[in-house]
Amino acid sequence: MTQAERRRYLIQALLEERPEYADIQIPPDVPEQKRLLRSLFNVRMPRPISEDFLKVQDAYLQEEIRRKGITGLDSLHPVREGIYLWQGDITTLRCDAIVNAANSGMLGCFVPCHGCIDNAIHTFAGVQLRLACARIMDRQGRQEETGGAKLTSAFNLPCRYILHTVGPIVSGRLTQRDCDLLASCYRSCLELAEENHIKSVAFCCISTGEFHFPNQQAAEIAVNTVMEFKEKTPSNMEVIFNVFKDVDAAIYRALLQQN
């Protein structure tokens, strides 16, 4: 199958799952096909699907990520010993684990083609990720608390694992509790990674997007929490601060270059 054939196969299979989509036609334009496929991934509820579908989906997603360009940890240069700063798409980073800024439902973002990192990670990991998260949440029997962490496979992403954490939502003035909860997100991810012998972790900018945590304060908490963890434990874990925006890159660079 070519990549175009895989894409049409996946779209058709997902449309056939939902009778209400019977009138939707596959657009001829490639960008619109990709947008439709991503939308269908995003709104699909966590339920099993055929092995044939998964085989095609996995081949398609892995090729899409390859075309975007994969960055390996071994190609990065540390800013400090064991600490890296990398600006790019976290779904293309090859390391042991990446951190997903999740919501309390822990099932990913259901808004079609939303720009959040949760949406991107679930889209390119594949439909298996939402099902894996749903099983964790079914066992837990309640929504995920802010500041904790859960671990899943990364499925089709270049990394091995995903650490899911729910950051605080800032409404109005930033409070000490907001800061404490954000620090807990970083600490919980590091502790869970250490328990599972994960040697490298890439953190996104937790809570700074849709959850409105101020970028400067969030970066300060992230750096301070990671450095404190490394100082107080015998861990040799390598930590990558992954940023997407130029403003975050500048903030982290200034913080990490301080004595």
Side-chain angles (χ1 to χ4, degrees):
M1 270 184 157
T2 66
Q3 197 70 342
E5 290 169 340
R6 291 175 183 136
R7 184 167 54 249
R8 293 185 69 89
Y9 170 92
L10 296 172
I11 292 172
Q12 191 61 49
L14 292 172
L15 288 174
E16 289 173 359
E17 282 190 329
R18 302 279 290 266
E20 65 269 33
Y21 295 162
D23 294 333
I24 295 179
Q25 301 296 314
I26 300 177
D29 185 62
V30 170
E32 287 304 310
Q33 287 182 9
K34 290 186 175 183
R35 183 172 181 83
L36 176 57
L37 179 56
R38 180 164 180 164
S39 297
L40 292 168
F41 279 145
N42 296 159
V43 301
R44 187 178 188 272
M45 297 302 292
R47 56 177 178 268
I49 201 163
S50 73
E51 288 299 320
D52 287 342
F53 178 93
L54 292 177
K55 183 177 179 180
V56 175
Q57 177 214 244
D58 293 355
Y60 177 80
L61 290 174
Q62 290 169 29
E63 176 61 15
E64 287 296 292
I65 293 169
R66 187 195 68 79
R67 291 182 181 185
K68 288 198 291 182
I70 296 171
T71 299
L73 175 59
D74 57 359
S75 70
L76 304 182
H77 300 287
V79 181
R80 293 186 179 188
E81 185 177 357
I83 303 289
Y84 300 78
L85 174 62
W86 180 67
Q87 185 172 11
D89 179 352
I90 202 168
T91 67
T92 66
L93 184 60
R94 181 183 286 123
C95 60
D96 273 5
I98 63 171
V99 173
N100 177 32
N103 58 53
S104 59
M106 289 287 281
L107 299 182
C109 173
F110 283 84
V111 179
C113 298
H114 193 255
C116 68
I117 194 167
D118 198 16
N119 188 292
I121 286 174
H122 272 265
T123 297
F124 289 97
V127 298
Q128 302 99 311
L129 179 56
R130 181 165 282 168
L131 184 58
C133 289
R135 287 170 177 157
I136 291 172
M137 297 308 288
D138 285 345
R139 290 195 298 270
Q140 181 164 287
R142 56 175 171 76
Q143 290 200 318
E144 181 71 359
E145 294 180 359
T146 302
K150 293 290 189 293
L151 180 71
T152 67
S153 168
F155 297 100
N156 289 293
L157 299 180
C159 58
R160 297 170 60 204
Y161 302 104
I162 303 169
L163 291 153
H164 306 262
T165 189
V166 181
I169 300 173
V170 177
S171 301
R173 183 178 62 84
L174 185 67
T175 67
Q176 185 59 49
R177 177 162 174 77
D178 294 329
C179 296
D180 292 344
L181 287 170
L182 184 59
S184 179
C185 289
Y186 284 91
R187 197 160 43 246
S188 295
C189 287
L190 291 166
E191 290 170 352
L192 186 56
E194 190 71 15
E195 289 170 14
N196 286 274
H197 310 291
I198 290 170
K199 301 301 182 185
S200 57
V201 174
F203 282 101
C204 61
C205 300
I206 303 166
S207 279
T208 58
E210 297 296 313
F211 287 8
H212 309 297
F213 207 107
N215 298 59
Q216 179 70 40
Q217 289 93 327
E220 291 172 2
I221 290 167
V223 171
N224 290 339
T225 306
V226 167
M227 297 306 295
E228 182 180 77
F229 179 84
K230 291 178 76 67
E231 289 169 3
K232 291 185 176 180
T233 68
S235 174
N236 292 318
M237 191 187 308
E238 295 183 292
V239 174
I240 306 105
F241 290 110
N242 164 244
V243 299
F244 194 73
K245 298 177 181 178
D246 291 342
V247 62
D248 290 313
I251 290 170
Y252 273 91
R253 189 171 294 111
L255 288 171
L256 291 169
Q257 289 175 349
Q258 291 176 1
N259 293 327

